[in-house]
Coordinates of all heavy atoms in Angstrom, one line a residue:
M26 N 1.6 -14.1 20.0 CA 1.8 -13.3 18.9 C 3.3 -13.3 18.4 O 4.1 -13.4 19.3 CB 1.2 -11.9 19.1 CG 2.0 -11.0 20.1 SD 1.3 -9.4 20.3 CE -0.2 -9.8 21.2
T27 N 3.5 -13.1 17.2 CA 4.8 -13.1 16.7 C 5.4 -11.7 16.9 O 4.7 -10.8 17.1 CB 4.9 -13.5 15.2 OG1 4.1 -12.5 14.5 CG2 4.3 -14.8 14.9
R28 N 6.7 -11.7 16.7 CA 7.4 -10.4 16.9 C 7.0 -9.4 15.8 O 6.8 -8.2 16.1 CB 8.9 -10.6 16.8 CG 9.5 -11.2 18.0 CD 11.0 -11.4 17.9 NE 11.5 -12.1 19.1 CZ 12.7 -12.6 19.2 NH1 13.6 -12.4 18.2 NH2 13.1 -13.2 20.2
G29 N 6.8 -9.9 14.6 CA 6.4 -9.0 13.5 C 5.0 -8.4 13.8 O 4.8 -7.2 13.6
F30 N 4.1 -9.3 14.2 CA 2.7 -8.8 14.6 C 2.8 -7.7 15.7 O 2.2 -6.7 15.5 CB 1.9 -10.0 15.0 CG 0.5 -9.6 15.4 CD1 -0.5 -9.4 14.4 CD2 0.2 -9.4 16.7 CE1 -1.8 -9.1 14.8 CE2 -1.1 -9.0 17.1 CZ -2.1 -8.9 16.2
Q31 N 3.5 -8.0 16.7 CA 3.6 -7.1 17.8 C 4.3 -5.8 17.4 O 3.9 -4.7 17.9 CB 4.4 -7.8 19.0 CG 4.4 -7.0 20.3 CD 5.1 -7.8 21.4 OE1 5.9 -8.7 21.2 NE2 4.7 -7.4 22.6
A32 N 5.3 -5.9 16.6 CA 6.0 -4.6 16.2 C 5.3 -3.8 15.2 O 5.3 -2.6 15.2 CB 7.4 -5.0 15.6
E33 N 4.6 -4.4 14.3 CA 4.0 -3.7 13.2 C 2.5 -3.3 13.3 O 2.0 -2.4 12.7 CB 4.1 -4.5 11.8 CG 5.6 -4.6 11.4 CD 5.7 -5.2 10.0 OE1 4.8 -5.0 9.2 OE2 6.7 -5.8 9.8
V34 N 1.8 -4.0 14.2 CA 0.4 -3.7 14.3 C 0.1 -2.9 15.6 O 0.4 -3.3 16.7 CB -0.4 -5.1 14.4 CG1 -1.9 -4.8 14.5 CG2 -0.1 -5.9 13.2
P35 N -0.4 -1.7 15.4 CA -0.7 -0.8 16.6 C -1.6 -1.5 17.6 O -2.5 -2.3 17.2 CB -1.4 0.4 16.0 CG -1.0 0.4 14.5 CD -0.8 -1.0 14.2
I36 N -1.5 -1.2 18.8 CA -2.3 -1.9 19.9 C -3.8 -1.7 19.7 O -4.5 -2.6 19.9 CB -1.8 -1.4 21.3 CG1 -2.5 -2.2 22.4 CG2 -2.2 0.1 21.5 CD1 -2.0 -3.6 22.5
E37 N -4.2 -0.6 19.2 CA -5.6 -0.4 18.9 C -6.1 -1.4 17.9 O -7.2 -1.9 18.0 CB -5.9 1.1 18.5 CG -5.7 2.1 19.5 CD -4.3 2.6 19.6 OE1 -3.4 2.1 18.8 OE2 -4.0 3.5 20.3
T38 N -5.3 -1.6 16.9 CA -5.7 -2.6 15.8 C -5.6 -4.0 16.4 O -6.5 -4.8 16.0 CB -4.8 -2.4 14.6 OG1 -4.8 -1.0 14.2 CG2 -5.2 -3.3 13.4
Q39 N -4.7 -4.3 17.2 CA -4.6 -5.6 17.8 C -5.9 -5.9 18.6 O -6.4 -7.0 18.6 CB -3.4 -5.7 18.8 CG -2.1 -5.7 18.1 CD -0.9 -5.8 19.0 OE1 -1.0 -6.3 20.2 NE2 0.3 -5.3 18.6
L40 N -6.3 -4.9 19.4 CA -7.5 -5.0 20.2 C -8.8 -5.2 19.3 O -9.7 -6.0 19.6 CB -7.7 -3.9 21.1 CG -6.6 -3.7 22.2 CD1 -6.8 -2.4 23.0 CD2 -6.7 -4.9 23.2
M41 N -8.8 -4.5 18.2 CA -9.9 -4.7 17.2 C -10.0 -6.1 16.7 O -11.0 -6.7 16.6 CB -9.8 -3.6 16.1 CG -10.9 -3.8 15.0 SD -12.6 -3.6 15.6 CE -12.6 -1.9 15.8
I42 N -8.8 -6.6 16.4 CA -8.8 -8.0 15.8 C -9.3 -9.0 16.9 O -10.0 -9.9 16.6 CB -7.3 -8.3 15.4 CG1 -7.0 -7.5 14.1 CG2 -7.1 -9.8 15.1 CD1 -5.6 -7.6 13.7
Y43 N -8.8 -8.8 18.1 CA -9.3 -9.6 19.2 C -10.8 -9.5 19.4 O -11.5 -10.5 19.5 CB -8.6 -9.3 20.5 CG -9.0 -10.1 21.7 CD1 -8.5 -11.4 21.8 CD2 -9.9 -9.6 22.6 CE1 -9.0 -12.2 22.9 CE2 -10.3 -10.4 23.7 CZ -9.9 -11.7 23.8 OH -10.3 -12.5 24.8
D44 N -11.3 -8.3 19.3 CA -12.8 -8.1 19.4 C -13.5 -8.8 18.3 O -14.6 -9.4 18.5 CB -13.1 -6.6 19.4 CG -12.8 -5.9 20.8 OD1 -12.5 -6.6 21.8 OD2 -12.7 -4.7 20.8
C45 N -13.0 -8.7 17.1 CA -13.6 -9.4 15.9 C -13.7 -10.9 16.1 O -14.7 -11.5 15.8 CB -12.8 -9.1 14.6 SG -13.0 -7.4 14.0
L46 N -12.6 -11.5 16.7 CA -12.6 -12.9 17.0 C -13.7 -13.3 18.0 O -14.4 -14.2 17.8 CB -11.3 -13.4 17.5 CG -10.1 -13.5 16.5 CD1 -8.8 -13.7 17.2 CD2 -10.4 -14.6 15.5
E47 N -13.8 -12.5 19.1 CA -14.8 -12.7 20.1 C -16.2 -12.6 19.5 O -17.1 -13.4 19.9 CB -14.6 -11.8 21.3 CG -13.3 -12.1 22.1 CD -13.3 -13.5 22.6 OE1 -14.3 -13.9 23.3 OE2 -12.3 -14.2 22.4
K48 N -16.4 -11.6 18.7 CA -17.8 -11.4 18.1 C -18.1 -12.6 17.2 O -19.2 -13.1 17.2 CB -17.8 -10.1 17.3 CG -19.1 -9.8 16.7 CD -19.1 -8.4 16.0 CE -20.5 -8.1 15.4 NZ -20.4 -6.9 14.6
A49 N -17.1 -13.0 16.4 CA -17.3 -14.2 15.5 C -17.7 -15.4 16.3 O -18.5 -16.2 15.8 CB -16.1 -14.4 14.6
K50 N -17.0 -15.6 17.4 CA -17.3 -16.8 18.3 C -18.8 -16.8 18.7 O -19.4 -17.9 18.8 CB -16.4 -16.8 19.5 CG -15.0 -17.2 19.2 CD -14.2 -17.2 20.5 CE -12.7 -17.5 20.3 NZ -12.0 -17.4 21.5
Q51 N -19.4 -15.6 18.9 CA -20.7 -15.6 19.3 C -21.7 -15.8 18.2 O -22.8 -16.3 18.4 CB -21.0 -14.2 20.0 CG -20.3 -14.0 21.2 CD -20.4 -12.6 21.8 OE1 -21.2 -11.8 21.3 NE2 -19.7 -12.2 22.8
I52 N -21.3 -15.4 17.0 CA -22.2 -15.5 15.8 C -22.1 -16.9 15.1 O -23.1 -17.4 14.8 CB -21.7 -14.4 14.7 CG1 -22.0 -13.0 15.3 CG2 -22.5 -14.6 13.4 CD1 -21.4 -11.9 14.4
L53 N -20.9 -17.4 15.0 CA -20.7 -18.7 14.3 C -20.8 -19.9 15.2 O -20.4 -19.9 16.3 CB -19.3 -18.7 13.6 CG -19.1 -17.6 12.6 CD1 -17.6 -17.5 12.3 CD2 -19.9 -17.8 11.3
T54 N -21.4 -20.9 14.7 CA -21.5 -22.2 15.4 C -20.1 -23.0 15.3 O -19.8 -23.7 16.2 CB -22.6 -23.1 14.9 OG1 -22.5 -23.3 13.5 CG2 -24.0 -22.4 15.2
V55 N -19.5 -22.8 14.1 CA -18.2 -23.4 13.9 C -17.2 -22.4 13.3 O -17.5 -21.6 12.4 CB -18.3 -24.5 12.8 CG1 -17.0 -25.1 12.5 CG2 -19.3 -25.6 13.3
M56 N -16.0 -22.3 13.9 CA -15.0 -21.4 13.4 C -13.9 -22.2 12.8 O -13.4 -23.2 13.4 CB -14.5 -20.5 14.6 CG -15.5 -19.5 15.0 SD -14.8 -18.3 16.1 CE -13.6 -17.4 15.1
D57 N -13.4 -21.7 11.7 CA -12.3 -22.3 11.0 C -11.0 -22.1 11.8 O -10.9 -21.2 12.6 CB -12.1 -21.6 9.6 CG -11.3 -22.3 8.6 OD1 -10.4 -23.1 9.0 OD2 -11.4 -22.1 7.4
Y58 N -10.1 -23.0 11.7 CA -8.8 -22.9 12.5 C -8.0 -21.7 12.0 O -7.2 -21.2 12.7 CB -8.0 -24.2 12.4 CG -7.2 -24.3 11.1 CD1 -5.9 -23.9 11.0 CD2 -7.9 -24.8 9.9 CE1 -5.2 -24.0 9.8 CE2 -7.2 -24.8 8.7 CZ -5.9 -24.4 8.6 OH -5.2 -24.5 7.5
L59 N -8.3 -21.2 10.8 CA -7.5 -20.1 10.2 C -8.5 -18.9 10.0 O -9.4 -19.0 9.2 CB -6.9 -20.5 8.9 CG -6.1 -19.4 8.2 CD1 -4.9 -18.9 9.0 CD2 -5.7 -19.8 6.8
Q60 N -8.2 -17.8 10.7 CA -8.9 -16.6 10.6 C -8.0 -15.6 9.8 O -6.8 -15.5 10.1 CB -9.3 -16.0 11.9 CG -10.2 -16.9 12.8 CD -11.5 -17.2 12.2 OE1 -12.3 -16.2 11.8 NE2 -11.9 -18.4 12.0
V61 N -8.6 -14.9 8.8 CA -7.8 -14.0 8.0 C -8.3 -12.6 8.2 O -9.5 -12.3 8.2 CB -7.9 -14.4 6.5 CG1 -7.1 -13.4 5.7 CG2 -7.5 -15.8 6.3
F62 N -7.4 -11.6 8.4 CA -7.7 -10.2 8.6 C -6.9 -9.4 7.5 O -5.7 -9.4 7.6 CB -7.3 -9.7 10.0 CG -8.1 -10.4 11.1 CD1 -7.8 -11.6 11.6 CD2 -9.3 -9.7 11.5 CE1 -8.6 -12.2 12.6 CE2 -10.1 -10.3 12.5 CZ -9.7 -11.5 13.0
K63 N -7.6 -8.8 6.6 CA -7.0 -8.0 5.6 C -7.1 -6.5 6.1 O -8.2 -6.0 6.2 CB -7.6 -8.2 4.2 CG -7.4 -9.6 3.7 CD -8.0 -9.7 2.3 CE -7.9 -11.2 1.9 NZ -8.6 -11.4 0.7
L64 N -6.0 -5.8 6.3 CA -6.0 -4.5 6.7 C -5.7 -3.5 5.5 O -4.7 -3.8 4.8 CB -5.0 -4.3 7.8 CG -5.5 -4.7 9.2 CD1 -5.7 -6.2 9.3 CD2 -4.5 -4.3 10.3
D65 N -6.5 -2.5 5.4 CA -6.3 -1.5 4.3 C -6.6 -0.1 4.8 O -7.2 0.1 5.9 CB -7.2 -1.9 3.2 CG -6.7 -1.4 1.8 OD1 -5.6 -0.7 1.8 OD2 -7.2 -1.8 0.8
K66 N -6.1 0.8 4.1 CA -6.3 2.3 4.4 C -7.4 2.8 3.4 O -7.2 2.7 2.2 CB -5.0 3.0 4.1 CG -5.0 4.5 4.4 CD -3.6 5.0 4.2 CE -3.5 6.5 4.5 NZ -2.1 7.0 4.3
V67 N -8.5 3.3 3.9 CA -9.5 3.8 3.1 C -9.8 5.2 3.4 O -9.7 5.7 4.6 CB -10.8 2.9 3.2 CG1 -10.6 1.5 2.7 CG2 -11.3 2.9 4.6
S68 N -10.3 6.0 2.4 CA -10.6 7.4 2.6 C -12.1 7.6 2.9 O -12.9 6.9 2.2 CB -10.2 8.2 1.3 OG -10.5 9.5 1.5
S69 N -12.4 8.5 3.8 CA -13.8 8.8 4.1 C -13.9 10.2 4.5 O -13.3 10.6 5.6 CB -14.3 7.9 5.2 OG -15.6 8.2 5.6
N70 N -14.6 11.0 3.8 CA -14.8 12.4 4.1 C -13.5 13.2 4.3 O -13.4 14.0 5.3 CB -15.8 12.6 5.3 CG -17.2 12.0 5.0 OD1 -17.7 12.1 3.9 ND2 -17.8 11.4 6.0
G71 N -12.5 13.0 3.5 CA -11.3 13.7 3.6 C -10.3 13.2 4.7 O -9.2 13.7 4.9
S72 N -10.7 12.1 5.4 CA -9.7 11.5 6.3 C -9.6 10.0 6.0 O -10.3 9.5 5.2 CB -10.2 11.7 7.8 OG -11.5 11.1 8.0
Y73 N -8.7 9.4 6.7 CA -8.4 8.0 6.5 C -8.8 7.1 7.7 O -8.8 7.6 8.8 CB -6.9 7.7 6.2 CG -6.5 8.3 4.9 CD1 -5.8 9.6 4.8 CD2 -6.8 7.7 3.7 CE1 -5.5 10.1 3.6 CE2 -6.4 8.2 2.5 CZ -5.7 9.4 2.4 OH -5.4 10.0 1.2
L74 N -9.3 5.9 7.3 CA -9.7 4.9 8.3 C -8.9 3.7 8.1 O -8.5 3.3 7.0 CB -11.2 4.6 8.2 CG -12.2 5.8 8.4 CD1 -13.6 5.3 8.1 CD2 -12.1 6.3 9.8
Q75 N -8.8 2.9 9.2 CA -8.2 1.5 9.1 C -9.4 0.6 8.8 O -10.3 0.5 9.6 CB -7.5 1.1 10.4 CG -7.0 -0.3 10.4 CD -5.8 -0.4 9.5 OE1 -4.7 0.1 9.9 NE2 -5.9 -1.1 8.4
Q76 N -9.4 0.0 7.6 CA -10.4 -1.0 7.3 C -9.9 -2.4 7.7 O -8.7 -2.7 7.4 CB -10.7 -1.0 5.8 CG -11.7 -2.0 5.4 CD -11.9 -2.0 3.9 OE1 -10.9 -2.1 3.1 NE2 -13.1 -2.0 3.4
V77 N -10.7 -3.2 8.4 CA -10.3 -4.5 8.8 C -11.4 -5.5 8.2 O -12.5 -5.4 8.6 CB -10.3 -4.6 10.3 CG1 -9.9 -6.1 10.7 CG2 -9.3 -3.6 10.9
V78 N -11.0 -6.3 7.3 CA -11.9 -7.3 6.7 C -11.5 -8.7 7.4 O -10.4 -9.2 7.1 CB -11.8 -7.4 5.2 CG1 -12.8 -8.5 4.7 CG2 -12.1 -6.0 4.6
H79 N -12.4 -9.2 8.1 CA -12.2 -10.5 8.8 C -13.0 -11.6 8.1 O -14.1 -11.4 7.8 CB -12.8 -10.4 10.3 CG -12.8 -11.6 11.0 ND1 -13.6 -11.9 12.1 CD2 -12.0 -12.8 10.9 CE1 -13.4 -13.1 12.6 NE2 -12.4 -13.6 11.9
S80 N -12.3 -12.6 7.7 CA -12.9 -13.7 7.0 C -12.4 -15.1 7.4 O -11.3 -15.2 8.0 CB -12.7 -13.5 5.5 OG -11.3 -13.6 5.2
Q81 N -13.1 -16.1 7.0 CA -12.7 -17.5 7.1 C -13.3 -18.2 6.0 O -14.3 -17.8 5.4 CB -13.1 -18.1 8.5 CG -14.6 -18.3 8.6 CD -15.0 -19.1 9.9 OE1 -14.3 -19.0 10.9 NE2 -16.1 -19.8 9.9
E82 N -12.8 -19.4 5.7 CA -13.3 -20.2 4.5 C -14.4 -21.1 4.8 O -15.4 -21.2 4.1 CB -12.1 -21.0 3.9 CG -11.1 -20.1 3.1 CD -10.1 -21.0 2.3 OE1 -10.2 -22.2 2.3 OE2 -9.2 -20.4 1.8
V83 N -14.3 -21.9 5.9 CA -15.3 -22.9 6.2 C -15.8 -22.8 7.7 O -15.0 -22.9 8.6 CB -14.7 -24.3 6.0 CG1 -15.7 -25.4 6.4 CG2 -14.2 -24.5 4.6
P84 N -17.1 -22.5 7.9 CA -18.0 -22.1 6.9 C -17.7 -20.6 6.4 O -17.0 -19.9 7.2 CB -19.4 -22.1 7.6 CG -19.0 -21.9 9.1 CD -17.6 -22.5 9.2
P85 N -18.2 -20.3 5.3 CA -17.8 -18.9 4.7 C -18.3 -17.8 5.7 O -19.4 -17.9 6.2 CB -18.6 -18.9 3.4 CG -18.8 -20.3 3.0 CD -19.0 -21.1 4.3
F86 N -17.5 -16.9 5.9 CA -17.8 -15.8 6.8 C -16.9 -14.6 6.4 O -15.7 -14.7 6.1 CB -17.5 -16.1 8.3 CG -17.6 -15.0 9.2 CD1 -18.8 -14.5 9.7 CD2 -16.4 -14.3 9.7 CE1 -18.9 -13.4 10.5 CE2 -16.5 -13.3 10.6 CZ -17.8 -12.8 11.0
E87 N -17.5 -13.4 6.4 CA -16.8 -12.2 6.2 C -17.5 -11.0 6.8 O -18.7 -10.9 6.7 CB -16.6 -11.9 4.7 CG -15.8 -10.6 4.4 CD -15.4 -10.5 2.9 OE1 -14.8 -11.3 2.4 OE2 -15.9 -9.4 2.4
E88 N -16.7 -10.2 7.5 CA -17.2 -9.0 8.2 C -16.2 -7.9 8.0 O -15.0 -8.1 8.2 CB -17.5 -9.2 9.6 CG -18.1 -8.0 10.3 CD -18.4 -8.3 11.8 OE1 -17.6 -9.0 12.5 OE2 -19.5 -7.8 12.2
T89 N -16.6 -6.7 7.8 CA -15.8 -5.5 7.6 C -16.1 -4.5 8.8 O -17.2 -4.2 9.0 CB -15.9 -4.8 6.3 OG1 -15.7 -5.8 5.3 CG2 -15.0 -3.7 6.1
V90 N -15.0 -4.0 9.4 CA -15.1 -3.0 10.4 C -14.1 -1.9 10.1 O -13.1 -2.1 9.4 CB -14.9 -3.6 11.9 CG1 -16.0 -4.5 12.3 CG2 -13.6 -4.2 12.0
Y91 N -14.4 -0.7 10.7 CA -13.5 0.4 10.4 C -13.1 1.0 11.8 O -13.8 1.0 12.7 CB -14.2 1.5 9.6 CG -14.6 1.0 8.3 CD1 -15.9 0.4 8.1 CD2 -13.8 1.1 7.2 CE1 -16.2 0.0 6.8 CE2 -14.1 0.6 6.0 CZ -15.4 0.1 5.8 OH -15.7 -0.4 4.5
L92 N -11.8 1.4 11.8 CA -11.2 1.9 13.0 C -10.6 3.3 12.7 O -9.9 3.5 11.7 CB -10.1 1.0 13.5 CG -9.4 1.2 14.8 CD1 -10.4 1.2 16.0 CD2 -8.4 0.1 15.0
T93 N -10.9 4.3 13.5 CA -10.4 5.6 13.4 C -9.0 5.7 14.1 O -9.0 5.5 15.3 CB -11.3 6.7 14.0 OG1 -12.6 6.6 13.3 CG2 -10.8 8.1 13.8
L94 N -8.0 5.9 13.4 CA -6.6 6.0 13.9 C -5.9 7.1 13.3 O -6.2 7.6 12.2 CB -5.8 4.7 13.6 CG -6.3 3.4 14.1 CD1 -5.5 2.2 13.5 CD2 -6.1 3.4 15.6
P95 N -4.8 7.6 14.0 CA -4.0 8.6 13.3 C -3.4 8.0 12.0 O -3.2 6.8 12.0 CB -2.9 8.8 14.3 CG -3.4 8.4 15.6 CD -4.4 7.3 15.3
E96 N -3.3 8.8 11.0 CA -2.9 8.3 9.7 C -1.6 7.5 9.7 O -1.5 6.5 9.0 CB -2.8 9.4 8.7 CG -2.6 8.9 7.3 CD -2.7 10.0 6.2 OE1 -3.0 11.2 6.5 OE2 -2.4 9.7 5.1
D97 N -0.7 7.9 10.6 CA 0.6 7.2 10.6 C 0.5 5.8 11.3 O 1.5 5.0 11.3 CB 1.7 8.0 11.3 CG 1.4 8.3 12.8 OD1 0.2 8.3 13.2 OD2 2.3 8.6 13.5
Q98 N -0.6 5.5 11.9 CA -0.8 4.2 12.5 C -1.7 3.2 11.6 O -1.9 2.1 12.0 CB -1.5 4.3 13.9 CG -0.6 5.0 14.9 CD -1.3 5.0 16.3 OE1 -2.2 4.2 16.6 NE2 -0.7 5.8 17.1
I99 N -2.1 3.7 10.5 CA -2.9 2.9 9.6 C -2.0 2.0 8.8 O -1.0 2.6 8.2 CB -3.8 3.7 8.7 CG1 -4.9 4.5 9.6 CG2 -4.5 2.9 7.7 CD1 -5.7 5.5 8.9
I100 N -2.2 0.7 8.7 CA -1.3 -0.2 8.0 C -2.0 -0.9 6.9 O -3.3 -1.1 7.0 CB -0.6 -1.1 9.0 CG1 -1.6 -2.0 9.7 CG2 0.3 -0.3 9.9 CD1 -0.9 -3.1 10.6
I101 N -1.3 -1.4 6.0 CA -1.8 -2.2 4.9 C -1.1 -3.6 5.0 O 0.1 -3.6 4.7 CB -1.6 -1.6 3.5 CG1 -2.4 -0.2 3.5 CG2 -2.1 -2.5 2.4 CD1 -2.1 0.6 2.3
T102 N -1.8 -4.6 5.4 CA -1.2 -5.9 5.5 C -2.2 -7.0 5.7 O -3.4 -6.7 5.7 CB -0.2 -5.9 6.8 OG1 0.6 -7.1 6.7 CG2 -1.0 -5.9 8.1
K103 N -1.8 -8.2 5.7 CA -2.7 -9.3 6.0 C -2.2 -10.1 7.2 O -1.0 -10.3 7.4 CB -2.7 -10.3 4.8 CG -3.7 -11.4 4.9 CD -3.6 -12.5 3.8 CE -4.1 -11.9 2.5 NZ -4.2 -13.0 1.5
I104 N -3.1 -10.4 8.1 CA -2.8 -11.1 9.3 C -3.6 -12.4 9.4 O -4.7 -12.5 9.0 CB -3.2 -10.2 10.5 CG1 -2.4 -8.9 10.5 CG2 -3.1 -11.0 11.8 CD1 -2.9 -7.9 11.4
Y105 N -2.9 -13.4 9.9 CA -3.5 -14.7 10.1 C -3.6 -15.0 11.6 O -2.6 -14.6 12.3 CB -2.6 -15.9 9.5 CG -2.5 -15.9 8.0 CD1 -1.3 -16.2 7.4 CD2 -3.6 -15.5 7.2 CE1 -1.2 -16.2 6.0 CE2 -3.5 -15.5 5.8 CZ -2.3 -15.9 5.2 OH -2.1 -15.9 3.9
V106 N -4.7 -15.6 12.0 CA -4.8 -16.0 13.4 C -5.1 -17.5 13.3 O -6.1 -17.9 12.7 CB -5.9 -15.3 14.1 CG1 -6.1 -15.8 15.6 CG2 -5.7 -13.8 14.1
I107 N -4.2 -18.3 13.9 CA -4.3 -19.7 13.8 C -4.7 -20.3 15.2 O -4.1 -20.0 16.2 CB -3.0 -20.4 13.4 CG1 -2.6 -19.8 12.0 CG2 -3.1 -21.9 13.3 CD1 -1.2 -20.2 11.5
D108 N -5.8 -21.1 15.2 CA -6.3 -21.7 16.4 C -5.9 -23.1 16.4 O -6.4 -23.9 15.6 CB -7.8 -21.5 16.5 CG -8.4 -22.1 17.8 OD1 -7.6 -22.6 18.6 OD2 -9.6 -22.0 18.0
D109 N -5.0 -23.5 17.4 CA -4.6 -24.9 17.4 C -5.4 -25.7 18.5 O -5.1 -26.9 18.8 CB -3.1 -25.1 17.7 CG -2.7 -24.6 19.1 OD1 -3.5 -24.3 19.9 OD2 -1.5 -24.7 19.3
G110 N -6.4 -25.1 19.0 CA -7.2 -25.8 20.0 C -6.9 -25.3 21.4 O -7.8 -25.3 22.3
D111 N -5.6 -25.0 21.7 CA -5.2 -24.6 23.0 C -5.0 -23.1 23.1 O -5.2 -22.5 24.1 CB -3.9 -25.3 23.4 CG -4.0 -26.8 23.7 OD1 -5.1 -27.2 24.1 OD2 -3.1 -27.5 23.4
H112 N -4.5 -22.5 22.0 CA -4.3 -21.1 22.0 C -4.3 -20.5 20.5 O -4.3 -21.3 19.6 CB -3.0 -20.7 22.7 CG -1.8 -21.3 22.0 ND1 -1.4 -22.6 22.1 CD2 -0.9 -20.7 21.1 CE1 -0.3 -22.8 21.4 NE2 0.0 -21.7 20.8
H113 N -4.4 -19.2 20.4 CA -4.3 -18.5 19.1 C -2.9 -18.0 18.9 O -2.3 -17.5 19.8 CB -5.3 -17.4 19.1 CG -6.8 -17.8 19.1 ND1 -7.4 -18.0 20.3 CD2 -7.6 -18.0 18.1 CE1 -8.7 -18.3 20.0 NE2 -8.8 -18.4 18.7
T114 N -2.5 -18.1 17.6 CA -1.2 -17.5 17.2 C -1.5 -16.4 16.2 O -2.2 -16.6 15.2 CB -0.3 -18.5 16.5 OG1 -0.1 -19.6 17.5 CG2 1.0 -17.9 16.2
F115 N -1.1 -15.2 16.5 CA -1.3 -14.0 15.7 C 0.0 -13.7 14.9 O 1.0 -13.5 15.5 CB -1.7 -12.8 16.5 CG -3.0 -12.9 17.3 CD1 -3.1 -13.7 18.4 CD2 -4.1 -12.2 16.9 CE1 -4.3 -13.8 19.1 CE2 -5.3 -12.2 17.5 CZ -5.4 -13.1 18.7
L116 N -0.1 -13.7 13.6 CA 1.1 -13.5 12.8 C 0.8 -12.7 11.5 O -0.3 -12.8 11.0 CB 1.8 -14.8 12.5 CG 1.1 -15.8 11.6 CD1 2.2 -16.6 10.8 CD2 0.3 -16.7 12.4
L117 N 1.8 -12.0 11.0 CA 1.6 -11.4 9.7 C 1.7 -12.5 8.6 O 2.4 -13.5 8.8 CB 2.8 -10.4 9.5 CG 2.9 -9.2 10.5 CD1 4.1 -8.4 10.2 CD2 1.7 -8.4 10.5
A118 N 1.0 -12.3 7.5 CA 1.0 -13.3 6.5 C 2.4 -13.5 5.9 O 2.8 -14.6 5.6 CB 0.1 -12.9 5.3
S119 N 3.2 -12.4 6.0 CA 4.6 -12.5 5.5 C 5.5 -13.4 6.4 O 6.5 -13.8 6.0 CB 5.2 -11.1 5.4 OG 5.2 -10.4 6.6
E120 N 5.0 -13.7 7.6 CA 5.8 -14.5 8.5 C 5.4 -16.0 8.4 O 6.0 -16.8 9.1 CB 5.5 -14.0 10.0 CG 6.0 -12.7 10.3 CD 5.7 -12.2 11.7 OE1 4.5 -12.2 12.0 OE2 6.7 -12.0 12.4
Y121 N 4.4 -16.3 7.6 CA 3.8 -17.6 7.6 C 4.8 -18.5 6.8 O 5.4 -18.2 5.9 CB 2.5 -17.6 6.9 CG 1.8 -19.0 6.9 CD1 1.3 -19.5 8.1 CD2 1.6 -19.7 5.7 CE1 0.7 -20.7 8.1 CE2 0.9 -20.9 5.7 CZ 0.5 -21.4 6.9 OH -0.2 -22.6 6.9

């Protein structure tokens, strides 16, 4: 993981992203080398949730999950996870 990812993404959100990748591996027969995670802050019943939209282009895939976090830990950003065959690299889109 990059320094930006490590510094800006709360550990709970990092774990959620990892869980999303593991779940996608079980669902998909083929995973794209580039996984995209769009993080947003959404309101629900007077409180805020971390929305995580996980997607890939080929084959098309998209899944949305929500995470309950303290409001000061909810972030709005885009994260890329690149799989080079040997390992995954987690980075903020702004670091690409």
Side-chain angles (χ1 to χ4, degrees):
M26 71 181 67
T27 62
R28 288 183 184 167
F30 177 86
Q31 189 173 21
E33 291 188 31
V34 181
I36 189 68
E37 293 86 355
T38 306
Q39 291 179 24
L40 293 171
M41 174 62 74
I42 290 169
Y43 180 77
D44 287 346
C45 287
L46 285 171
E47 290 302 309
K48 184 177 177 184
K50 284 180 187 178
Q51 294 174 7
I52 295 170
L53 299 168
T54 55
V55 176
M56 287 189 66
D57 197 335
Y58 78 97
L59 178 64
Q60 302 293 308
V61 180
F62 293 86
K63 294 180 185 173
L64 281 63
D65 206 352
K66 181 179 184 177
V67 296
S68 177
S69 176
N70 297 324
S72 62
Y73 291 100
L74 299 172
Q75 177 72 71
Q76 179 185 49
V77 179
V78 179
H79 174 203
S80 63
Q81 70 174 29
E82 287 188 7
V83 180
F86 171 78
E87 183 173 298
E88 181 178 43
T89 303
V90 294
Y91 298 91
L92 185 59
T93 303
L94 293 173
E96 189 173 351
D97 64 336
Q98 291 185 18
I99 296 174
I100 59 174
I101 300 170
T102 193
K103 185 186 289 186
I104 295 167
Y105 295 141
V106 180
I107 301 171
D108 182 358
D109 70 1
D111 291 327
H112 63 281
H113 291 89
T114 302
F115 295 75
L116 66 152
L117 302 173
S119 60
E120 295 177 300
Y121 187 68

